[in-house]
Structures are given as C-alpha cells and as structure tokens.
C-alpha cells in the first residue's frame, strides 16, 4: 500500500521544522498545576533567530548539520558532556528572580541543570539581552557547600562557602558559577526555590539570542524533576505544521485515553537524563525489519525533540533503504548536501510506501512528511540515517503526534493528531 507524498511548504507554514529551535512566547493556560505554553519554530518569521537572507534550502542544510552535531554529543557517557550549546532545541522565555528579569534559555530535553549567565561575568559569551544580576533579586540564595543539592551535583566544589558548579561540553563550551535557588516565572506562574546555576564564567558556541540552558531531561536537577509534585511527572508536546506548536505540563499534558492512543514503556537506563524507548522493528509496507542493535534488548533508542533526523543502526537502515528503492518508482540520486543516504529525482509528488515504527506496545503509522523531505527543487530524500553509536528517534518522525511523557507511570503516549488547515494535503514544493 502506498501513500502520496505530501510535503508542506516550509517557508510559508513551518519554515524548516528540522532545526526545532523554538521560542516559548507566552503562557496560554494555567490551572491546578497544569499549564500550556506556545512554541514558535526557530526559523519562522516570528523567531528572533530568523534570517531573511537564508533560503529554504539554507535553513534545511543548517538544520541537518545541527542534527549530526547533536547526535555526536549523545555518544559520551559523561553527564557533563551531553548538554547542547548552540545546537539546542528551543529557546524558552522565562523570568528569573524578584522582581522578575526575562531571560531566554535553550530548552533541552537532553540535559538537566538549568543555568543562565549572571553578573559579574568576566568571561561570558555575547548575548543580546542583559545579564541577570543576582544582587538585584530578593529571592536569590546561594546554596551552601554542605547542602544536599551541592553534594548530589557531580563536579561540584566549594568556594567562599558557596557551592560551585562546572559543566563542560563536547564542543569545548563550558559554564562555571554558583549553584543557587531562585524563583522562576513562566507567564503568570511563579515557581519558587528552583535550583539553578548562576554562570559567571561561560564560553563556547552558544547563540547570542540565548542566555543559558533550561534542563528538561529526566535527571534529578532538571526542571521536570523539580516540578514533579505540581505536574505529576507529566509533560507533552504537539509539533504542528503551523508556525506555533505547544508544550504542556501537568494536567494539561495528559494525552486522551481514546482507542487511538498508542502507549510504550519508558525504560530506565544510564545516564538518566535521556528518555529511552524500545524500538522493535520498522515496516515498509508489509515488509517488517527487526531492530538488531548491539545494545540491550530494551531501551535501544532515545526519543529527542532537538534532533531533526532519525538515527538507526546501519543494518536496519540498509534494509529500509533497499525496500524503499524497490518500492519507489523514481530515479535514485545522491543527496546534494551529502548528509542523507537515499534520495530520488522528482519535481512532483511521488508515491512512497507506508512506514510504521513498531515500539513495544505501540505501532506508529508515519505519514510521508515524517520520513521524506525535499532538499532541492528536484530531489526528495529519506530522513532516516545510519549511526554506529546511538539510535535517536528525531522530531521529524514525531510531527503530527501529540507526544506525552508520564514519568510516574513510566510510559509515553502517542496520539495521531492533524493540526493542518488543509486536512493533510501538503504541497511537496517549498
């Protein structure tokens, strides 16, 4: 069975979803511990990172290379080396302190500690907004050296009675400063006593539009973990084909219990920051190809918002490529970007077989824009690539699903959701 390839216009609708570096702009709902936040795609005209001089294909090319750079950072087993710098997924607009000072932090599901650049900052990277001044906040408190938070933080040290943190990254970026507690405000919701890093020495490839990191991973220092009592360990997002997407926390994040919801277990593994799932197989039409990775049977793949492409073991990827070459009636060509391994020559819509991702207990039928992307006017490419080191289920494959994380229930939910105004009919041309 085949479905007609319908890829929407990225320039007019989602403006290169592949980078998924979004800005949280305003709080839309808040009640009983649950709230929903709007997300604006990094390369849309509404984004502070929007560059008019970049073409659609420029943005696509940059996004793919950010994806490759990010997957390289997942290879390390050190928690201090897996936080993303300039290649982060989202910029989240929050306020810190009393009175609140607005900051933009990279919202990262692949890291835990939240930190921002602080005054005095002798060695800091350039940022567009003002630095946070802890001396001007009534609710800022440095954490002591003997506190539980300090002793629990890897590579913490002590200086002048204050707990010092030091994080380094795979691209040689770093942040150093004081571990502290402060009030964090999202929209109209104020959250007191959030543990965060006040960075006084920060360098590297961080974007000027951001001022730090907001950790949304599964580790003990993440914002999700610190909010666990109020949000019940639940958050969800829906990545739409419009310029605005949503991320929800608490009661607002509960995915409907309708029969269309597919659920799969979250697997506990090290490092705890990441969200691990068990991918059993992938089907191309009626042909099913089993995942045979070198890692443990469960938790063989990481689901990640910030990674554009999906990375698979070479054998599984090769099986998929062979099946697609046989099923698609179009000329096979090389990727002009030299990133993707299977491309077809076509200036019009082409027919591709239905691809299904078989997770433990959850079969996700992917639409064609989840698996193929136009990279030039006459070239369409498969958006899954081989990786020897780590498997990642990227954000293209998550489009048009309401994706729910239930950390207390140890499960993830996927609800197919059509956010388009044209009922799924997308033009393949950018």
């Amino acid at each position: 069975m085949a479905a007609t390839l319908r890829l929407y216009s990225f320039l007019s609708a989602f403006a290169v979803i592949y980078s998924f570096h979004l800005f949280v702009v305003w709080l839309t709902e808040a009640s009983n511990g649950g709230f929903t936040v709007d997300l604006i795609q990094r390369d849309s005209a509404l984004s502070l990172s929007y560059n008019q001089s970049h073409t659609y294909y420029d943005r696509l090319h940059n996004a793919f290379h950010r994806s490759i750079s990010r997957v390289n950072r997942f290879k390390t087993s050190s928690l201090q080396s897996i936080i993303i710098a300039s290649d982060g997924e989202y910029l989240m607009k929050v306020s810190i302190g009393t009175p609140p000072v607005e900051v933009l932090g990279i919202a990262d599901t692949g890291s835990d500690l939240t930190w921002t650049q602080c005054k005095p900052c002798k060695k800091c990277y350039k940022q567009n907004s003002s630095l946070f001044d802890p001396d001007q906040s009534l609710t800022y408190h440095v954490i002591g050296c003997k506190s539980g938070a300090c002793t629990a933080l890897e590579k913490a040290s002590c200086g002048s009675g204050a707990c010092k943190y030091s994080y380094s990254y795979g691209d040689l970026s770093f942040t150093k400063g004081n571990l502290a507690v402060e009030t964090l405000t999202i929209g109209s919701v104020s959250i007191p006593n959030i543990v965060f890093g006040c960075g006084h020495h920060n360098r590297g490839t961080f974007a000027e539009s951001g001022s730090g990191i907001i950790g949304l991973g599964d580790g003990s220092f993440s914002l999700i973990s610190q909010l666990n009592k109020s949000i019940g360990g639940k958050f969800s997002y829906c990545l739409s084909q419009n310029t605005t997407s949503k991320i929800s926390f608490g009661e607002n994040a509960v995915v409907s219990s309708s029969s269309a919801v597919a659920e799969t277990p979250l697997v506990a593994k090290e490092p705890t920051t990441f969200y691990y799932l068990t991918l059993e197989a992938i089907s191309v039409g009626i042909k099913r190809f089993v995942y045979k990775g070198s890692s443990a049977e469960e938790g063989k793949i990481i689901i990640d918002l910030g990674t554009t492409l999906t990375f698979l073991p070479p054998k599984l990827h090769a099986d998929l490529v062979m099946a697609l070459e046989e099923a698609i009636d179009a000329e096979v060509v090389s990727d002009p970007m030299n990133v993707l391994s299977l491309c077809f020559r076509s200036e019009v819509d082409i027919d591709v077989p239905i691809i299904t991702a078989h997770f433990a207990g959850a079969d996700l039928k992917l639409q064609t824009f989840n698996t193929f992307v136009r990279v030039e006017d006459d070239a369409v490419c498969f958006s899954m690539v081989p990786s020897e080191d780590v498997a990642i289920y990227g954000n293209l494959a998550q489009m048009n699903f309401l994706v729910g994380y239930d950390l207390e229930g140890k499960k993830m939910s996927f609800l197919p959701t059509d956010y388009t105004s044209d009922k799924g009919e997308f033009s393949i041309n950018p």
Side-chain angles (χ1 to χ4, degrees), residues 24-40:
V24 173
V25 182
W26 63 80
L27 190 69
T28 56
E29 292 181 289
S31 62
N32 299 323
F35 53 91
T36 298
V37 181
D38 285 348
L39 302 175
I40 297 178

mmCIF file of all heavy atoms in Angstrom, residues 24-40:
data_model
loop_
_atom_site.group_PDB
_atom_site.id
_atom_site.type_symbol
_atom_site.label_atom_id
_atom_site.label_comp_id
_atom_site.label_asym_id
_atom_site.label_seq_id
_atom_site.Cartn_x
_atom_site.Cartn_y
_atom_site.Cartn_z
ATOM 1 N N VAL A 24 9.664 29.875 23.477
ATOM 2 C CA VAL A 24 8.441 29.866 24.246
ATOM 3 C C VAL A 24 8.022 31.314 24.430
ATOM 4 O O VAL A 24 8.768 32.108 24.969
ATOM 5 C CB VAL A 24 8.649 29.198 25.611
ATOM 6 C CG1 VAL A 24 7.412 29.345 26.474
ATOM 7 C CG2 VAL A 24 8.956 27.728 25.422
ATOM 8 N N VAL A 25 6.829 31.678 23.966
ATOM 9 C CA VAL A 25 6.463 33.077 23.925
ATOM 10 C C VAL A 25 5.499 33.476 25.029
ATOM 11 O O VAL A 25 5.699 34.468 25.691
ATOM 12 C CB VAL A 25 5.845 33.416 22.557
ATOM 13 C CG1 VAL A 25 5.499 34.883 22.503
ATOM 14 C CG2 VAL A 25 6.839 33.117 21.458
ATOM 15 N N TRP A 26 4.459 32.733 25.245
ATOM 16 C CA TRP A 26 3.579 33.141 26.324
ATOM 17 C C TRP A 26 2.832 31.950 26.896
ATOM 18 O O TRP A 26 2.676 30.925 26.267
ATOM 19 C CB TRP A 26 2.584 34.208 25.879
ATOM 20 C CG TRP A 26 1.620 33.768 24.816
ATOM 21 C CD1 TRP A 26 0.490 33.037 24.972
ATOM 22 C CD2 TRP A 26 1.728 34.047 23.420
ATOM 23 N NE1 TRP A 26 -0.110 32.843 23.783
ATOM 24 C CE2 TRP A 26 0.614 33.455 22.808
ATOM 25 C CE3 TRP A 26 2.648 34.752 22.645
ATOM 26 C CZ2 TRP A 26 0.394 33.526 21.451
ATOM 27 C CZ3 TRP A 26 2.433 34.824 21.294
ATOM 28 C CH2 TRP A 26 1.325 34.219 20.708
ATOM 29 N N LEU A 27 2.422 32.089 28.124
ATOM 30 C CA LEU A 27 1.639 31.071 28.806
ATOM 31 C C LEU A 27 0.194 31.215 28.381
ATOM 32 O O LEU A 27 -0.377 32.287 28.460
ATOM 33 C CB LEU A 27 1.756 31.277 30.328
ATOM 34 C CG LEU A 27 1.198 30.177 31.217
ATOM 35 C CD1 LEU A 27 2.059 28.928 31.094
ATOM 36 C CD2 LEU A 27 1.160 30.649 32.652
ATOM 37 N N THR A 28 -0.418 30.118 27.890
ATOM 38 C CA THR A 28 -1.774 30.215 27.383
ATOM 39 C C THR A 28 -2.823 29.695 28.355
ATOM 40 O O THR A 28 -3.972 30.090 28.282
ATOM 41 C CB THR A 28 -1.905 29.447 26.069
ATOM 42 O OG1 THR A 28 -1.497 28.088 26.266
ATOM 43 C CG2 THR A 28 -1.018 30.068 25.005
ATOM 44 N N GLU A 29 -2.415 28.773 29.219
ATOM 45 C CA GLU A 29 -3.372 28.259 30.179
ATOM 46 C C GLU A 29 -2.632 27.928 31.480
ATOM 47 O O GLU A 29 -1.475 27.525 31.449
ATOM 48 C CB GLU A 29 -4.046 26.984 29.654
ATOM 49 C CG GLU A 29 -4.965 27.225 28.464
ATOM 50 C CD GLU A 29 -5.612 25.922 28.005
ATOM 51 O OE1 GLU A 29 -4.904 25.075 27.447
ATOM 52 O OE2 GLU A 29 -6.811 25.773 28.212
ATOM 53 N N ALA A 30 -3.307 28.080 32.608
ATOM 54 C CA ALA A 30 -2.706 27.697 33.877
ATOM 55 C C ALA A 30 -3.807 27.414 34.881
ATOM 56 O O ALA A 30 -4.634 28.263 35.161
ATOM 57 C CB ALA A 30 -1.804 28.816 34.404
ATOM 58 N N SER A 31 -3.826 26.181 35.412
ATOM 59 C CA SER A 31 -4.829 25.836 36.420
ATOM 60 C C SER A 31 -4.456 24.515 37.061
ATOM 61 O O SER A 31 -4.079 23.571 36.379
ATOM 62 C CB SER A 31 -6.226 25.720 35.794
ATOM 63 O OG SER A 31 -6.266 24.693 34.834
ATOM 64 N N ASN A 32 -4.549 24.450 38.398
ATOM 65 C CA ASN A 32 -4.358 23.223 39.139
ATOM 66 C C ASN A 32 -3.064 22.498 38.779
ATOM 67 O O ASN A 32 -3.030 21.289 38.596
ATOM 68 C CB ASN A 32 -5.560 22.281 38.901
ATOM 69 C CG ASN A 32 -6.859 22.888 39.361
ATOM 70 O OD1 ASN A 32 -6.906 23.580 40.372
ATOM 71 N ND2 ASN A 32 -7.935 22.643 38.624
ATOM 72 N N GLY A 33 -1.993 23.235 38.684
ATOM 73 C CA GLY A 33 -0.714 22.618 38.410
ATOM 74 C C GLY A 33 -0.473 22.299 36.958
ATOM 75 O O GLY A 33 0.551 21.717 36.629
ATOM 76 N N GLY A 34 -1.395 22.640 36.073
ATOM 77 C CA GLY A 34 -1.200 22.355 34.659
ATOM 78 C C GLY A 34 -1.162 23.631 33.855
ATOM 79 O O GLY A 34 -1.901 24.573 34.121
ATOM 80 N N PHE A 35 -0.268 23.687 32.863
ATOM 81 C CA PHE A 35 -0.231 24.866 32.004
ATOM 82 C C PHE A 35 0.309 24.486 30.638
ATOM 83 O O PHE A 35 1.010 23.490 30.466
ATOM 84 C CB PHE A 35 0.609 25.993 32.634
ATOM 85 C CG PHE A 35 1.987 25.606 33.054
ATOM 86 C CD1 PHE A 35 3.056 25.743 32.188
ATOM 87 C CD2 PHE A 35 2.217 25.127 34.339
ATOM 88 C CE1 PHE A 35 4.334 25.414 32.582
ATOM 89 C CE2 PHE A 35 3.497 24.790 34.738
ATOM 90 C CZ PHE A 35 4.558 24.930 33.858
ATOM 91 N N THR A 36 -0.053 25.287 29.657
ATOM 92 C CA THR A 36 0.354 25.061 28.274
ATOM 93 C C THR A 36 1.075 26.293 27.756
ATOM 94 O O THR A 36 0.676 27.416 28.043
ATOM 95 C CB THR A 36 -0.877 24.764 27.393
ATOM 96 O OG1 THR A 36 -1.509 23.581 27.863
ATOM 97 C CG2 THR A 36 -0.467 24.574 25.940
ATOM 98 N N VAL A 37 2.140 26.075 27.001
ATOM 99 C CA VAL A 37 2.960 27.160 26.500
ATOM 100 C C VAL A 37 3.049 27.060 24.981
ATOM 101 O O VAL A 37 3.136 25.974 24.433
ATOM 102 C CB VAL A 37 4.375 27.088 27.111
ATOM 103 C CG1 VAL A 37 5.249 28.220 26.614
ATOM 104 C CG2 VAL A 37 4.288 27.118 28.636
ATOM 105 N N ASP A 38 2.989 28.221 24.312
ATOM 106 C CA ASP A 38 3.149 28.259 22.862
ATOM 107 C C ASP A 38 4.625 28.147 22.501
ATOM 108 O O ASP A 38 5.497 28.681 23.184
ATOM 109 C CB ASP A 38 2.595 29.570 22.292
ATOM 110 C CG ASP A 38 1.088 29.601 22.268
ATOM 111 O OD1 ASP A 38 0.478 28.528 22.470
ATOM 112 O OD2 ASP A 38 0.521 30.681 22.059
ATOM 113 N N LEU A 39 4.883 27.477 21.390
ATOM 114 C CA LEU A 39 6.235 27.328 20.868
ATOM 115 C C LEU A 39 6.277 27.876 19.454
ATOM 116 O O LEU A 39 5.419 27.558 18.642
ATOM 117 C CB LEU A 39 6.652 25.855 20.838
ATOM 118 C CG LEU A 39 6.614 25.096 22.158
ATOM 119 C CD1 LEU A 39 6.931 23.629 21.920
ATOM 120 C CD2 LEU A 39 7.594 25.686 23.149
ATOM 121 N N ILE A 40 7.269 28.697 19.168
ATOM 122 C CA ILE A 40 7.433 29.242 17.826
ATOM 123 C C ILE A 40 8.719 28.704 17.232
ATOM 124 O O ILE A 40 9.771 28.785 17.848
ATOM 125 C CB ILE A 40 7.454 30.787 17.842
ATOM 126 C CG1 ILE A 40 6.111 31.315 18.339
ATOM 127 C CG2 ILE A 40 7.764 31.333 16.452
ATOM 128 C CD1 ILE A 40 6.050 32.813 18.444
#
